[in-house]
Every structure is written in structure tokens, then in C-alpha cells.
Amino acid sequence: TSPSSPVPQLLGTNILCAMPSIPTIAFFVSSLSQLVHAKRESDLKGGLRPERICGTEFPHNTTHEAVQCFCFMSGQCDSPCKCFQGCASDVVARHRWTATFKNVNDATSCGNQTSSALLTIPREYFRSIDHLWQACSAEAAYTIVEEALIKSFEEFQNWSVGPVRQCIHAPWRQTVQWMHIHTLCGAGMLDGMPGSTTEAWCGDMATTEQAASLARQMLQWAQGSKDSKAKQHLRSSADASNG
């Protein structure tokens, strides 16, 4: 091609036009960062539905306001707000399979630690720890409980640094029919816990490394407590028949 030919000039022009400028690249990166941030904010506000590992459908026809509140906290329900804690985006920390939020009741005997307590629930609906065990494989149930213990411990440290007490009521002692774990100060007491092992389980936790062992203990207690309740019911029935 002769020096006067327009082909090289046109090819050069096309190549330059095809290459984005540095300001354009910077704008693209900035826009992408904003989209990622917006998605994260949406996820935290409940835009991200709970990841299904196991579980059952939430009974949307329930009229129990505390259960409706738990549904909001889980990210399954958007409105109306039924929570005494309010329904702002900062009242709940949603994790992969669980969600943590402030209990409306405080603990006692906390000493230098805060008396504020936390509740942690599965983001999928389970009436109780028994329901969790029935609806999930052993591995899935363990995974959900372990995450609940880890995340609730970490969230509590934002309120008050130190050991915590993790507790859960037996199904027949629950006041809200959505499985929930109580996290309170290390020496605390709340809603009759700790107390009779037939009515509740409590475990003391100083580090997240204890979560695996405590999760196994909680699930083992749930099975033993269920068997104990069944035996108690049979004894009561037998006594009534003999009487």
C-alpha cells in the first residue's frame, strides 16, 4: 500500500475508537462497585430470600404477631411490620441460613455485661428444634444450629465483649412458634433459663470454636428431651388410668 493510501489511517482510527479511554474504564468500575453495594444493601434489607437448605413453607395465614415479626426478621415477609423492635434495616442481621435480632426481654444477673439479649432464628420456617430435626437431614440441622451459634456470638460481641450463654426452650415451653435461640450474658438468666433440662437447654460459649460441639449437644438434648417428654406423657396417662 502506498503511503498516501487511506487504509492504514482508517485501521488506526478504528483501533483507537475500539479501545475505551481510562475515564471510561474508571466510570465502569465505579458503576459496578455501586451495583455491588446496592445489591448488598438490598440483601441486608431482606431483598435476598433465605437460601434453602431444608425447611417448610411459612404459614402466612397466622395471626400471631410475634410469628409475623419473626417472618419479617427472616426475610420471608416484607410487611406489615409487627415487631416491637421496629422494622428498620438495622434491627436485624441476616446471615446465610439464620437471622439475629434484639430480644424485647432483657436478661438478669449480667454483672458488667449488658443485660440486652439476642434472638437467632432459622431463615426458613421451623416451629421448633424438633421440627428442624424432622424436616432436615442431620447434617443440615447441624449446619443451621452451628451457624446460629457462631453468628449470635459474634453479634453479641458488638454489644458486650465476653462469654455468652446460649439457650433454647423445649417446644412445649416456647411462647413463639418459630424456633429461636436465646443469646445472653455469660452468667445471665432469662425466661426461666437456665433451669430444668426437660424444659430448656443452655450452653456457655467463650469462643466461636465451641460452636460445633455446642451444636451437637443442643441437637442431642433435643432428641433426649423429646423422648423424656413422651415417657412423662405415658406415665401421666398410666397414672390417670390407674386412678
Side-chain angles (χ1 to χ4, degrees), residues 21-37:
S21 65
I22 292 176
T24 301
I25 294 174
F27 175 77
F28 173 77
V29 171
S30 175
S31 298
L32 181 60
S33 176
Q34 291 175 12
L35 286 172
V36 170
H37 177 74

Side-chain angles (χ1 to χ4, degrees), residues 5 33 49 59 80 98 108 132 148 164-165 173 179 186 190 199-200 206 213 240:
S5 170
S33 176
R49 296 305 181 186
T98 60
T108 59
L132 171 75
V164 304
R165 178 162 284 165
R173 283 281 284 110
M179 175 187 161
L190 177 65
E199 296 188 352
S213 174

Side-chain angles (χ1 to χ4, degrees), residues 73-210:
M73 295 297 190
S74 76
Q76 289 199 52
C77 301
D78 296 326
S79 61
C81 179
K82 299 291 184 180
C83 302
F84 289 112
Q85 301 93 328
C87 292
S89 61
D90 60 350
V91 301
V92 57
R94 296 191 179 103
H95 322 299
R96 188 174 185 183
W97 292 301
T98 60
T100 302
F101 51 95
K102 188 179 183 301
N103 194 341
V104 294
N105 298 317
D106 289 342
T108 59
S109 305
C110 287
N112 293 329
Q113 285 186 284
T114 181
S115 60
S116 295
L118 299 176
L119 293 173
T120 300
I121 62 173
R123 295 188 64 191
E124 288 289 346
Y125 175 69
F126 303 98
R127 291 186 307 277
S128 63
I129 193 166
D130 281 359
H131 187 199
L132 171 75
W133 188 257
Q134 294 163 6
C136 301
S137 67
E139 181 181 2
Y142 168 81
T143 298
I144 290 171
V145 172
E146 183 185 29
E147 182 191 85
L149 294 173
I150 290 173
K151 295 302 183 181
S152 59
F153 179 89
E154 291 175 345
E155 291 296 330
F156 192 88
Q157 301 309 301
N158 294 328
W159 292 71
S160 183
V161 175
V164 304
R165 178 162 284 165
Q166 304 278 23
C167 297
I168 188 169
H169 279 119
W172 54 89
R173 283 281 284 110
Q174 286 182 217
T175 55
V176 181
Q177 296 306 302
W178 191 308
M179 175 187 161
H180 51 282
I181 295 173
H182 299 256
T183 305
L184 48 149
C185 57
M189 301 181 68
L190 177 65
D191 293 344
M193 300 177 293
S196 169
T197 56
T198 61
E199 296 188 352
W201 174 92
C202 288
D204 295 336
M205 186 173 177
T207 69
T208 55
E209 284 72 22
Q210 295 175 274

